[in-house]
Structures are given as C-alpha cells and as structure tokens.
Amino acid sequence: MTVKDWLGENNQLAQDIWQRKYRHNNESFEEWLDRVSAGDNELRKLIIEKKFLMGGRTLANRGLNNTGSLFNCYSRGYIEDDYYDIMDAAKDIGITFKAQGGQGISLTKLRPKGTPIKTEYYSDGIVPFIKIFNEVTAGTSQGGARKGALMLSIDARHKEAETFIKIKSKEGEIEKANLSLELDDEFMRAVEKYYDTGEVVVLHEKRNYSGHEIEYDVTPIEIFKMLVDNCYDWADPACLFTNKFRNYNLMQFDEDYEIETCNPCGEQPLPKHGACCLSSLNLSEFIVNPYTPQAHLNTADLLSAIDVGIKTLDKLIDENYNRHPLQQQRDMSYNYRNIGLGIFGYATALMKLGFRYGSPEAIEFTDDVFSLIFRRAVLASNELAKEFGPYPKYKEEIFDSDIIKFHFSPDEITKLKEYGLRNCSLVSIAPTGSLATLLGESGGCEPEFALKYTRRTVGMTDGEDAYYDVYCKAAREYMEINNTKELPDYFVGSADISWQSRVLTQAVMQKHVDTAISSTVNMPNSATKDDIAHMYLLAWSSGCKGITMFRDGCKRLGILTTENKKEEEISHKELKRGEIMKCADDLIGKKRKIINGCGSTHVLGFFEPVYGDLVEVFFTKGSLGGCSNYMVGLSRMVSLACRAGVSINDIQDQLNSTGACPSYAIRTATKHDTSKGACCPMAIGNALMDMWKEVQEELGYLEEPKKKKSQKFGERCPECGAVLEHSGGCDICKECGYSHCN
C-alpha cells in the first residue's frame, strides 16, 4: 500500500500533511506503518482502515532515535510565589517545548501588583512573569517545525484577575499563550444570582504571600462582565469551572493527586509535572451503511478498537519514559500512567446516521456511545492491570469516584477492585485538528466548520474565471451515493448550530469523560454580550468542565498583528522585503461597472473571507473603455500592493491623487455619469472602496480601519499562509493541516 492508496490518489492536501508532519526522511508508507504500529498487527489494521490514530507527536516520533516526546500534554501546575520557582518554571517549560510537548501553568499563587516584598519593596505583579513565559514560548523551536504551546490560567478571585482577562487585548503584548479563567461554584452561584434576581454578591478574600497578608473584596458579577466584554471583542480567555474540573475524575478522592491546571488545549486536567499521551478513534468509520435508513454504529468493532487503543496508549507510557525532558515528568508518568483516548469524526458520524448536530436523536446517540466508550476503557484498563499490575500509586478509592459509580453497578465495582486499574485517567476529547484534516473528517467533537465554499480559478476557460463548489467529505459522499446535489437539513456547519446545542452536546459528553473536552462554541457576529454570559452560565450549570467561545468577526485574529510593524506585513508571519502573500482561493468577489471618459470599465475586487481585506483586482475595458494594456497593468500593480499589505485606504489615496482628466470631466457634465472621481484611476479607487465597505457590512464590521496601518488578514498559517480557523480551542489550517496546538 502507498500513501496515495491510503489517502486517495487526488488528495494532495492529506498527502502533504503526512509528508510534512509525520513521515521521517524518505520512508515509504509501509515503512511508516511498521514504525508507528511497532509490530502490532491489530493497531496496523486500524490505522489502514482509518479507524484509529495516535496523537501527532507519536505519529512523528515513535520508533525514532530522537529527543522528541511521544506525549503532547504536560502541566507545570501552580507557580509558587517564589522568584526561584518562577525562573525554574520558565526553564522547565522551555525544555518541555524543546521536546515538542505543550505546557500548562497556573498563576493563582503569584502575589498581585503592589503587594509588599519583605519590608520596603513592592511586587510588580503577574504581568512581568507572563511576559517571560510568553517570550520563552515564542523563542523555542519544536523540532524546527513550530513554536511552543502554552496555557496560562488564574483564579477569578485573584486581585489581578482583571489584568489577566485584558492582557491579550493589548496588541503585541502577549501573543503565544492560551488563557483560561478559573471559576469556582461559589463564584458562579453569585453570578447566577445576579442574573436571576439582580442581587450583587460580594466575596471577601484573605490571602497570605510569604508572611504578608492582604484582604480585599471581589464582586463576581463585575469580574464576570469583564470576562464577557473581553470575550465579545477578543474571544479570550476561556473558562475553567474548577469544582467540576478538579473533582469529576477517577482521582476525585486521592488526596495525593491534586489537579492544578491543564494542557494548552484544555482537555487534560493535570497535577504538577503531570503528563499524558493521546490517541483518537475516528467515530465516522464505525458507521455502517452510511447515508441510508439502515445506517448504524458497528458496536462490536468500536469495542474492539477501544481495547487496542487503551493497550497502545499504555505501551507508549513505557516507551516514552526516557523521552520526557524532566525527571519529575518521568516520575509522574510512571506513578500514575495517565492516558487519554478520544474521538474525532463525531459530526461526520452524525451526518452518516442522518442526525442533525444537537438534535434529540443526536444527543441520545451521543449519550449512549460515550457511555459505551468510557465503560469499555475502564474494563480494558482493568484487564491490563490484571496482566501487568495497577499504576504504582494506585488506591482503591478510585472506585469511589462519582464517574465510576455513575457507570458501574456495585457488583461490577467489586469485580473491578480485584485487580484495580492500570491507568489513573482514560478518556479525553482533544481538538485533533491535524488528524481530522489528514483523514478529511470533522475535528474532535466539533461540528463541520462549513459544508461548502466556492473556489475561484483564474483563466480556466478562454481567459474567464471559473468557479467550483467545494464540499466537505461527508457532503460529497452523500451526493455521490444518492446521485443528487441537494443536501438534507441535517448537513450543517457551525454557523447553522445554536450555541445552546453546542453546550448541551458537550455537557452530555462530559458525563462520560473522566478528564475534559476541548471545544469552541462558534457564535455569530450578531451574538450579544448577554448571549455570551448565558452561554457560560449554561455551560457551568449543565456540568461542563470548561469551554471556549469565538464570535464571528471579533478582533481575536487581529490581536496577533502588532500596530507598529512594517507596511509590507499582512499577517502573523512577518514578510521580508519584497515578499508577497499568495492569494487563497475562497475569496469574496464583487463587481462594479463604471463610466469613464473613454467609455466603460469593469472593476472586479476579491476580498479575503475573515476580515474582508482587498487581496486582488481585475480591471477590464468595455467596448469603448480605453487602453486594455493600461487596465491590465494598473490591476496588476494594485493587486501586488494588496498582497504586499498596503491598506485599502492607502490604495484609494494614491489613486485619488492622480489629478483630473478633461475627457472624464466632459463625460460627467454631458452624460450625468455617477462614477465618483475626476479620472479613471480615481473612479476605480472609489469603486474599490465602495465594494470594500459592502463586504465589511456583510461580514459584520461597521468601523473602518484606521489609515496608515498595515492590512490585517487575520492570523495566517506559518506553513502555507492560508487564514487559520479557530476550532476546538485551537487555530487550525484547513489548507495544509497545521495546528497551533498540535
């Protein structure tokens, strides 16, 4: 078998992902299979059938004599209020990044700004140290492929919670960390009371920092509204509901195991120096007779795959022992044997079954299948414990946990206690951006971002542009099987699904997930701050451990482009002098016909779909429209300026400064032409601005960008330059498969 046989002869995107991210040197597909399956024929078969894939670090590094970890997820936990621990933490995360692992840090124990240090000095607070961690993340190369991945969290009751909430809204300040606000039940009950009754609850805090005790009041609704306001504009920070986050797990009653924070994507709550390896089942491939009334889940195959998945993950713990960059990580991994079996292709599976995402039928299916996954994972770990013994720090109290009692009867628990469990964590739902894109499936538990978009190809037919409809894999398969171009209403993208459905779907899954879920609730541009507030309240009250939101058209992507960069920069990636950004294919097209002194001119403008920035233009003359070569030359130069980062304002200014044309003035006076301007370039510039404003209105942007600023396209993929999509708590590229978090 070749990689083309596996992924499809014409699926160049998937082949490129495999080549760039997972293939080592020039190994063949069969050699790669041998390496990553490590002689396990059951595992090899599941990979070939696209039913199961290990995490990205395992696919890239397993079987190689290198320093790369097989684990994606690590936690440094609480940073102690001690300068030496802070500096040690910076060193530790840098070393972990170098080994290709992501890190999570909680800032909760750091003293706030203005707190005394000894007798005569005062603390500068959390910001200087956040900047240190940010720079370490930005400056560490992971195998030359990407930078580090960092999660920072802090208690919402911390005196500098407001500073933390707003820190990424200052452009260029903090770019390289995901942020999460830790919200406990008492805090959220106070928020809930405000929305129910209007009562404002005040909480009194008393904290001790190296002998210096401080007291202050916290008003939860004020902090919560700051969170909502910032999320509305910047989609940051995410929320961690700490009571559920720290207590609904297998280690609930183990006093020696304290969950302190999570990995960068949020699906792994971990103790200090905790580590976890991930793998995922492709739920879509377990659907039999897809897109027909006979569609159903092949339960037997799924159960068998779960057994293989748990066994594989447990093996990886031993294989990775000497690959952990820190001894503390080796000790924690050895003593607790954390693993995370997850899924992707969930939304695709729903489409194959004929269920609309978030519908009652989908919720019922989700409840059943995730209960099945968790139960089987526990039984598989129990079988491994029978053969190899439980994890070294095993305590029988693991079977007193709420999640075990929810899924197993007393008699079943008694049988499980005979051998215990091989692993202290079992099920996680990661974003799986790269894995899902590789196999053309939906990521994690997310819906499809979009079912269809239009691809424009220049000059395909007699010099005219050609437009092609491009469909997601499930939609394309449905149309081929049923010989139709019409899709049923259960084929939906993220824009078609209410935030209530997204939250309730995640809540149902969380009942059966002992760790956590990485998920982003996509909200329309029209969503209000009250919508966001009630989304968070629903997530907390329904039992989610954490949640991320993203409002379409917010400023989130722009935050990663600083205000003081060169005019030729148009993306997160700094362009060198003379470097020109390539055009994507999924552009928004607009057309204007203007009358000039010589006749007519057709003006076509193409705008990128995230911020609506002008990226390419075509000017063509009518039957009496002047010089054709002049139009071609002008359109090429304007397009070049657009793709070099020159703003629409500057382009209009330049075209408007070209002076007046006598023939144009005569035409305007005699024919009452309505084109704006006094010459052809001026009319073209004004037409482009009109089209730009129209696109801005369609995308929900009402404010014009400031002049003399470089154009903002949103964050671009560092590998191919395409616009990144925010999904599952992470920025992913649908063009090449790059994932910021993986």
Side-chain angles (χ1 to χ4, degrees):
M1 174 177 281
T2 67
V3 71
K4 291 184 178 180
D5 296 328
W6 188 48
L7 298 173
E9 177 73 28
N10 299 317
N11 194 346
Q12 192 60 50
L13 168 60
Q15 294 172 34
D16 288 346
I17 293 172
W18 177 79
Q19 169 73 35
R20 280 189 281 184
K21 298 177 75 70
Y22 306 130
R23 185 187 189 190
H24 178 65
N25 291 336
N26 292 316
E27 65 185 346
S28 68
F29 180 68
E30 290 288 340
E31 290 170 336
W32 177 79
L33 272 176
D34 289 340
R35 174 168 67 79
V36 300
S37 62
D40 188 327
N41 290 329
E42 288 181 310
L43 174 60
R44 181 188 178 95
K45 183 173 182 291
L46 286 176
I47 295 173
I48 291 173
E49 294 174 348
K50 305 178 186 177
K51 291 179 177 178
F52 178 83
L53 284 177
M54 295 84 83
R57 296 306 85 215
T58 302
L59 295 181
N61 295 326
R62 191 181 195 185
L64 300 180
N65 186 26
N66 62 15
T67 58
S69 176
L70 307 181
F71 285 33
N72 288 64
C73 307
Y74 292 87
S75 166
R76 184 53 168 72
Y78 291 124
I79 307 299
E80 300 298 326
D81 188 47
D82 175 82
Y83 183 80
Y84 296 101
D85 192 59
I86 295 169
M87 293 299 105
D88 283 343
K91 178 190 70 176
D92 290 348
I93 67 171
I95 293 171
T96 304
F97 292 156
K98 198 68 178 176
Q100 303 177 32
Q103 274 277 30
I105 291 176
S106 176
L107 308 172
T108 292
K109 292 187 176 183
L110 297 186
R111 71 185 67 196
K113 186 176 182 179
T115 307
I117 303 174
K118 297 182 179 179
T119 56
E120 55 187 295
Y121 302 104
Y122 296 88
S123 172
D124 289 327
I126 62 174
V127 173
F129 302 119
I130 291 177
K131 290 181 177 180
I132 290 173
F133 299 141
N134 180 72
E135 290 303 311
V136 171
T137 308
T140 306
S141 173
Q142 298 195 328
R146 61 177 190 248
K147 302 300 182 182
L150 176 67
M151 169 67 81
L152 298 175
S153 65
I154 200 168
D155 184 1
R157 301 183 190 221
H158 193 282
K159 199 173 183 181
E160 283 203 88
E162 179 180 354
T163 300
F164 180 83
I165 289 169
K166 297 180 178 180
I167 195 165
K168 285 180 75 173
S169 64
K170 301 176 182 177
E171 294 198 15
E173 189 94 346
I174 302 297
E175 300 178 352
K176 301 299 182 181
N178 295 336
L179 304 181
S180 288
L181 193 66
E182 303 170 9
L183 305 156
D184 63 61
D185 283 352
E186 185 181 26
F187 185 101
M188 291 302 296
R189 281 194 293 269
V191 172
E192 185 180 49
K193 181 171 287 189
Y194 172 83
Y195 282 100
D196 287 345
T197 69
E199 181 181 347
V200 176
V201 177
V202 178
L203 304 176
H204 187 71
E205 287 291 304
K206 183 184 293 187
R207 301 195 177 197
N208 191 292
Y209 299 98
S210 304
H212 294 280
E213 190 171 81
I214 65 171
E215 294 187 52
Y216 56 95
D217 290 332
V218 174
T219 307
I221 188 59
E222 292 181 357
I223 300 296
F224 186 77
K225 284 188 173 183
M226 291 176 192
L227 166 71
V228 169
D229 288 348
N230 213 71
C231 287
Y232 180 86
D233 286 331
W234 302 98
D236 244 323
C239 292
L240 295 178
F241 303 114
T242 54
N243 290 80
K244 192 82 170 184
F245 183 79
R246 294 189 170 121
N247 297 325
Y248 191 72
N249 53 66
L250 294 171
M251 304 299 283
Q252 181 179 358
F253 297 109
D254 190 331
E255 295 180 354
D256 296 324
Y257 189 94
E258 182 183 6
I259 290 173
E260 297 187 0
T261 188
C262 61
N263 71 313
C265 297
E267 75 274 8
Q268 271 300 320
L270 290 166
K272 187 180 292 294
H273 297 298
C276 182
C277 53
L278 303 173
S279 294
S280 297
L281 301 156
N282 181 7
L283 201 58
S284 168
E285 288 296 328
F286 294 94
I287 305 301
V288 180
N289 299 321
Y291 315 113
T292 71
Q294 293 75 42
H296 64 278
L297 178 73
N298 188 329
T299 303
D301 279 4
L302 178 60
L303 292 174
S304 177
I306 293 168
D307 292 344
V308 175
I310 297 297
K311 180 180 68 173
T312 299
L313 285 165
D314 191 69
K315 284 182 178 179
L316 292 174
I317 294 171
D318 299 320
E319 291 179 28
N320 200 67
Y321 182 80
N322 290 317
R323 290 175 177 261
H324 292 296
L326 303 175
Q327 184 61 49
Q328 300 99 314
Q329 295 164 348
R330 297 184 194 108
D331 293 343
M332 290 298 292
S333 179
Y334 173 80
N335 286 327
Y336 292 100
R337 304 187 71 83
N338 297 75
I339 60 174
L341 179 68
I343 56 95
F344 63 97
Y346 167 75
T348 314
L350 294 182
M351 294 177 193
K352 288 183 174 182
L353 290 166
F355 299 154
R356 183 184 175 91
Y357 194 109
S359 67
E361 298 85 359
I363 294 294
E364 183 180 359
F365 168 77
T366 303
D367 201 10
D368 291 341
V369 74
F370 279 86
S371 176
L372 180 150
I373 290 172
F374 179 76
R375 279 183 54 86
R376 189 64 171 214
V378 170
L379 294 172
S381 185
N382 182 249
E383 282 296 312
L384 290 175
K386 179 180 179 180
E387 185 174 358
F388 302 108
Y391 60 91
K393 294 289 186 178
Y394 166 76
K395 295 178 182 178
E396 199 170 90
E397 287 90 335
I398 197 170
F399 295 107
D400 295 328
S401 62
D402 291 341
I403 191 168
I404 287 289
K405 290 182 175 181
F406 182 74
H407 288 87
F408 293 91
S409 69
D411 288 344
E412 290 175 318
I413 292 173
T414 299
K415 292 179 181 179
L416 290 170
K417 285 181 178 180
E418 183 176 357
Y419 300 108
L421 295 182
R422 180 68 170 167
N423 316 95
C424 84
S425 68
L426 291 168
V427 179
S428 301
I429 302 180
T432 66
S434 295
L435 301 185
T437 304
L438 176 71
L439 299 186
E441 304 286 357
S442 56
C445 63
E446 306 283 353
E448 284 281 3
F449 182 77
L451 298 179
K452 171 186 172 183
Y453 65 92
T454 300
R455 179 181 295 271
R456 179 180 62 89
T457 304
V458 179
M460 286 292 289
T461 56
D462 297 326
E464 298 291 328
D465 296 347
Y467 296 84
Y468 299 88
D469 289 333
V470 181
Y471 295 87
C472 77
K473 179 182 175 183
R476 187 176 65 251
E477 289 175 345
Y478 177 90
M479 290 187 293
E480 290 174 354
I481 291 172
N482 293 280
N483 192 28
T484 181
K485 292 186 178 181
E486 300 295 324
L487 293 172
D489 61 2
Y490 54 80
F491 280 82
V492 291
S494 59
D496 306 310
I497 303 168
S498 70
W499 58 263
Q500 293 93 339
S501 294
R502 294 292 306 279
V503 171
L504 293 175
T505 296
Q506 182 175 335
V508 168
M509 293 179 181
Q510 189 63 75
K511 294 192 303 180
H512 313 295
V513 174
D514 61 293
T515 60
I517 299 169
S518 177
S519 179
T520 299
V521 177
N522 296 98
M523 305 186 76
N525 181 261
S526 60
T528 65
K529 292 179 181 181
D530 273 348
D531 290 334
I532 296 171
H534 285 95
M535 185 275 292
Y536 283 141
L537 282 167
L538 179 62
W540 165 71
S541 64
S542 62
C544 295
K545 290 187 176 182
I547 202 157
T548 304
M549 61 77 59
F550 188 87
R551 184 178 68 87
D552 182 44
C554 70
K555 304 174 183 177
R556 167 68 179 270
L557 297 177
I559 195 172
L560 299 176
T561 303
T562 59
E563 294 285 354
N564 60 353
K565 293 187 178 182
K566 300 181 292 184
E567 281 293 305
E568 64 263 30
E569 182 183 4
I570 61 175
S571 71
H572 176 64
K573 172 186 173 184
E574 185 172 346
L575 298 176
K576 299 177 182 178
R577 182 177 175 84
E579 188 175 355
I580 304 298
M581 179 67 73
K582 293 181 179 179
C583 272
D585 292 322
D586 54 338
L587 303 176
I588 300 171
K590 295 290 180 181
K591 183 179 180 180
R592 290 290 190 276
K593 180 181 179 181
I594 61 175
I595 306 300
N596 55 46
C598 303
S600 61
T601 299
H602 300 279
V603 180
L604 282 80
F606 293 93
F607 304 80
E608 62 85 33
V610 176
Y611 280 97
D613 292 314
L614 181 64
V615 295
E616 192 168 25
V617 299
F618 294 92
F619 311 144
T620 58
K621 72 179 186 66
S623 57
L624 297 172
C627 177
S628 177
N629 290 334
Y630 162 77
M631 292 297 175
V632 171
L634 182 63
S635 63
R636 288 181 176 180
M637 293 307 298
V638 171
S639 295
L640 190 67
C642 293
R643 302 204 309 273
V646 180
S647 74
I648 182 70
N649 299 90
D650 292 333
I651 290 171
Q652 185 190 33
D653 286 346
Q654 291 297 314
L655 294 175
N656 279 346
S657 65
T658 52
C661 172
S663 62
Y664 194 99
I666 293 171
R667 174 80 190 199
T668 301
T670 59
K671 302 293 185 180
H672 304 290
D673 179 49
T674 57
S675 298
K676 301 175 185 177
C679 64
C680 295
M682 198 177 292
I684 288 171
N686 292 329
L688 291 174
M689 177 58 77
D690 287 342
M691 289 187 287
W692 177 85
K693 290 180 178 179
E694 186 175 307
V695 172
Q696 295 298 302
E697 290 180 1
E698 292 174 359
L699 295 177
Y701 302 111
L702 301 178
E703 297 181 2
E704 296 186 18
K706 299 177 181 179
K707 291 189 176 185
K708 305 301 182 183
K709 303 290 186 180
S710 61
Q711 199 172 14
K712 296 182 181 181
F713 275 54
E715 187 177 3
R716 295 278 181 172
C717 175
E719 295 189 3
C720 73
V723 177
L724 298 179
E725 294 177 5
H726 194 74
S727 179
C730 197
D731 295 326
I732 62 174
C733 179
K734 289 292 187 178
E735 294 296 319
C736 71
Y738 168 83
S739 170
H740 177 68
C741 302
N742 182 20

